[in-house]
Amino acid sequence: GVNSGAYCFEVTIVKTGLSHGNGIARVGWSAAHASLDLGTDSAGYGYGGTAKAANNRRFDDYGETFGDGDTIGCYINFDSRRISFSKNGTDMGMAFALGKSSATFFPGCV
């Protein structure tokens, strides 16, 4: 996990399952104690394919929809205390402010 500096990872969406009606993707960062359902508790921060930023069961409009073939970049910067995302190389802007959290974060994808 990471708890200082700045990090990123990318996920390329191969198949979301939407054509069969059984799933969408959500990617982001979470602390070790967070729910595996990314973005549904206070320790997980996700960006979903429906163009929503998710944290603590709050789903706010953010970025653009994404799906099969898209590459999503997930960024965390402990110096600026921000989490942000990109879609196919285009910055979607800040999604979350980390506040004073001292947690160690891990990449997540569901």
Side-chain angles (χ1 to χ4, degrees):
V2 297
N3 59 16
S4 65
Y7 297 88
C8 72
F9 72 95
E10 288 186 331
V11 174
T12 298
I13 308 301
V14 176
K15 185 169 181 134
T16 60
L18 281 178
S19 61
H20 302 292
N22 60 355
I24 57 171
R26 191 177 306 144
V27 298
W29 297 93
S30 63
H33 63 278
S35 167
L36 294 179
D37 191 5
L38 186 62
T40 60
D41 64 13
S42 64
Y45 300 85
Y47 170 33
T50 57
K52 300 288 182 187
N55 172 254
N56 208 20
R57 292 200 181 278
R58 181 176 169 156
F59 300 89
D60 296 321
D61 292 343
Y62 174 78
E64 302 173 357
T65 60
F66 64 82
D68 297 355
D70 290 324
T71 298
I72 304 303
C74 304
Y75 307 87
I76 191 166
N77 187 319
F78 291 95
D79 296 327
S80 64
R81 313 297 300 163
R82 297 170 37 132
I83 292 175
S84 60
F85 300 91
S86 64
K87 175 185 171 186
N88 300 323
T90 300
D91 182 12
M92 296 288 112
M94 184 178 83
F96 303 102
L98 285 175
K100 296 185 186 264
S101 173
S102 62
T104 297
F105 286 88
F106 298 86
C109 181
V110 294

